[in-house]
Amino acid sequence: MTSTHAFWLAGRQATGEDAFDVTSPWDGRLVGKVSVPADAQVEEAVAAAYAVRDEFAATPAHVRAAALDHVSKRLAERTEDIARLVSAENGKPLKWARGEVGRAVSVFRFAAEEARRFNGGEAQRLDTDLGGQGRLALTRRFPKGVVLGIAPFNFPLNLCAHKVAPAIAAGAPIILKPAPATPLSGLVIGELLAETELPAGSWSILPVANDRMPALVRDERLPVISFTGSEKVGYAIMDSVPRKHCTLELGGNGAAVVLADWSSDEDLDRAANRIATFSNYQGGQSCISVQRVIADASVHDRLLPRIVAAVEAQVTGDPGDDATDVGPLVSEDAARRVESWVQEAVDAGARLLTGGKRDGASYAPTVLTGVPADVTLSCEEVFGPVLTVQKADGEAEAFAAVNDSKYGLQAGVFTHDLQAAFRAHRALEVGGVVIGDVPSYRADQMAYGGVKQSGVGREGVRFAMEDYTYERVLVLTGIDL
């Protein structure tokens, strides 16, 4: 029988009166039962985090770093069983789940390193003007307060890590709300943090339902909100608490541009394979998956059949099978939504080259061309294994096509031309430009986030730590410089 998973309240294990089932989107089997914190327990967690905020901010860096190192080490030791848990609750193929655990290992390791060197202080001499003679300014960063981290379902372990690890590294208490569809991976982080010596109240992991999120968002004791999820929910959060600090990572409709110089058979094979892989990895449920391909007219006709063949070579099926590339979406409702968007595009004149079929929560890897600009598939984030391909007449038209979107998270540009790379960096209205690859590349230590409707603020361990803290200046008088 599957056991009931407790939640983590102020650093200790706790249970509530109610529980909910976590089931596999692949076959509907029960993966686990999760205990739900009652209102009084949520209040206890928030009160404890607020009460410990000054103590935690003053906790020596080596204590916080040691705790983060411990979590990193334990995740690595348990890679296989945690990967199978991620795969079971999320439906992600095991090969991608293992990669996610490996990334979470790195996130906690990076955070441990940053905890040791962050907040070291910067000295600034003030005697550059007469009035500042004998004065020295020291600037350090201090936590803004307790962080409310709200994580999504698509990377249920690593995106929880991206909320928790930077907060602990910066000395900011954190309340983590994992996604209701995939809470088990986040609760594993609590299990490992409970093995450390961090002060009680410095972290809690509360698997509450989404309808209980607004009360947490409005709580004045939680001045920092870090949210990853949909555009609609993210901006609703920001609008409801305009005086709070919000970091929002809201997704996009990632474009891969193939320029004219990327023209050899080897080049086009590589582009097609990378595009096929990263339009379908995680079932297309990644903010930076490839949704749009914009190919120069000189290479388009040679590239398109390669993309279709590479997409059709993706192995779909049981996510627990090592050979599987593409598993189900997180739910049948999600697959039905993708199905309806593709059908709308086809009805409006788009040409379906492969895929376009749904089986329960699974949706076949799909490629379309000639998609009208005003259909939903062109305007919104599909968050499914669907790819559109269009032709562009030259670099300027290709870059304009990338920018013709309300989103701006990342873009990939296949080119060997260094000058074109710098032109892309200047021209593309996105948070990150990846040269020679798809937009789906993310190193967990680098700055990550978008512009336009893709969000505000930046993740990436050090950059998140900066978001969670503020500069405080100390002026020393009577200093002989």
Side-chain angles (χ1 to χ4, degrees), residues 79-80 82-88 90-103 155 277-278 280-283 313-327:
T79 292
E80 188 62 21
I82 295 174
R84 291 186 178 279
L85 180 66
V86 169
S87 179
N90 171 273
K92 154 177 326 197
L94 193 55
K95 63 171 66 175
W96 295 112
R98 291 189 184 110
E100 180 172 348
V101 178
R103 290 180 61 187
F155 289 84
T277 297
F278 288 97
N280 295 293
Y281 85 127
Q282 327 291 338
Q314 296 285 300
V315 177
T316 62
D318 184 349
D321 187 330
D322 283 331
T324 298
D325 299 310
V326 187

Side-chain angles (χ1 to χ4, degrees), residues 224-235:
V224 179
I225 298 171
S226 178
F227 171 85
T228 301
S230 73
E231 170 196 358
K232 178 181 178 181
V233 175
Y235 283 115

Side-chain angles (χ1 to χ4, degrees), residues 273-331:
N273 286 324
R274 296 294 287 176
I275 287 165
T277 297
F278 288 97
S279 64
N280 295 293
Y281 85 127
Q282 327 291 338
Q285 297 170 122
S286 168
C287 301
I288 46 177
S289 66
V290 185
Q291 183 170 333
R292 299 181 290 157
V293 175
I294 301 160
D296 188 89
S298 65
V299 298
H300 174 275
D301 291 350
R302 294 167 58 214
L303 176 64
L304 182 58
R306 285 174 161 90
I307 289 175
V308 173
V311 167
E312 290 177 342
Q314 296 285 300
V315 177
T316 62
D318 184 349
D321 187 330
D322 283 331
T324 298
D325 299 310
V326 187
L329 276 70
V330 72
S331 68

Side-chain angles (χ1 to χ4, degrees), residues 426-468:
R426 177 178 293 278
L428 297 180
E429 299 166 353
V430 294
V433 178
V434 183
I435 301 299
D437 207 351
V438 292
S440 316
Y441 175 78
R442 178 183 181 183
D444 292 286
Q445 71 271 36
M446 78 180 191
Y448 176 77
V451 296
K452 299 194 283 189
Q453 299 301 299
S454 286
V456 294
R458 290 295 179 267
E459 291 188 339
V461 176
R462 178 172 65 83
F463 303 94
M465 292 169 69
E466 290 175 356
D467 250 5
Y468 295 167

Side-chain angles (χ1 to χ4, degrees), residues 246-272:
C246 293
T247 298
L248 305 178
E249 199 283 279
L250 305 179
N253 55 358
V257 176
V258 184
L259 294 181
D261 69 291
W262 198 271
S263 59
S264 71
D265 287 340
E266 182 181 357
D267 284 343
L268 296 177
D269 286 342
R270 170 176 162 74

Side-chain angles (χ1 to χ4, degrees), residues 16-17 19 55 73 133 137 171 175 196 231 286 295 332 335-336 356 381 384 401 410 424 427 446 465 474 476 480:
E17 294 181 358
E55 176 190 343
K73 178 182 177 183
Q133 189 167 328
I175 305 289
T196 72
E231 170 196 358
S286 168
E332 187 166 344
R336 288 184 184 279
E381 179 181 38
Q410 291 198 163
M446 78 180 191
M465 292 169 69
L474 174 68
L476 301 175
D480 184 3

Side-chain angles (χ1 to χ4, degrees), residues 77-159:
E77 291 172 349
R78 295 178 54 186
T79 292
E80 188 62 21
D81 70 289
I82 295 174
R84 291 186 178 279
L85 180 66
V86 169
S87 179
E89 70 170 344
N90 171 273
K92 154 177 326 197
L94 193 55
K95 63 171 66 175
W96 295 112
R98 291 189 184 110
E100 180 172 348
V101 178
R103 290 180 61 187
V105 169
S106 296
V107 168
F108 278 96
R109 186 182 76 250
F110 295 145
E113 294 166 356
E114 292 294 347
R116 293 184 173 97
R117 59 178 172 244
F118 189 75
N119 204 24
E122 179 181 337
Q124 181 182 16
R125 61 187 305 158
L126 301 178
D127 62 354
T128 51
D129 286 318
L130 178 63
Q133 189 167 328
R135 296 177 186 265
L136 179 72
L138 295 176
T139 303
R140 294 175 58 196
R141 299 191 72 88
F142 291 85
K144 294 173 180 174
V146 184
V147 177
L148 172 60
I150 304 169
F153 68 81
N154 57 326
F155 289 84
L157 179 71
N158 196 43
L159 292 183

Side-chain angles (χ1 to χ4, degrees), residues 279-426:
S279 64
N280 295 293
Y281 85 127
Q282 327 291 338
Q285 297 170 122
S286 168
C287 301
I288 46 177
S289 66
V290 185
Q291 183 170 333
R292 299 181 290 157
V293 175
I294 301 160
D296 188 89
S298 65
V299 298
H300 174 275
D301 291 350
R302 294 167 58 214
L303 176 64
L304 182 58
R306 285 174 161 90
I307 289 175
V308 173
V311 167
E312 290 177 342
Q314 296 285 300
V315 177
T316 62
D318 184 349
D321 187 330
D322 283 331
T324 298
D325 299 310
V326 187
L329 276 70
V330 72
S331 68
E332 187 166 344
D333 284 345
R336 288 184 184 279
R337 177 189 55 77
V338 172
E339 180 182 42
S340 70
W341 288 14
V342 171
Q343 188 60 53
E344 177 198 20
V346 171
D347 290 344
R351 182 182 171 207
L352 180 67
L353 301 183
T354 191
K357 294 181 173 61
R358 182 183 63 82
D359 181 9
S362 296
Y363 195 79
T366 297
V367 181
L368 303 101
T369 60
V371 179
D374 59 347
V375 301
T376 308
L377 193 59
S378 293
C379 303
E380 301 294 338
E381 179 181 38
V382 66
F383 227 57
V386 177
L387 180 67
T388 68
V389 183
Q390 66 187 90
K391 187 183 298 186
D393 189 9
E395 177 187 297
E397 185 174 298
F399 290 171
V402 175
N403 291 339
D404 186 20
S405 170
K406 66 178 180 178
Y407 297 111
L409 187 48
Q410 291 198 163
V413 180
F414 288 91
T415 183
H416 298 292
D417 184 343
L418 184 60
Q419 293 302 319
F422 279 102
R423 289 193 297 270
H425 194 214
R426 177 178 293 278

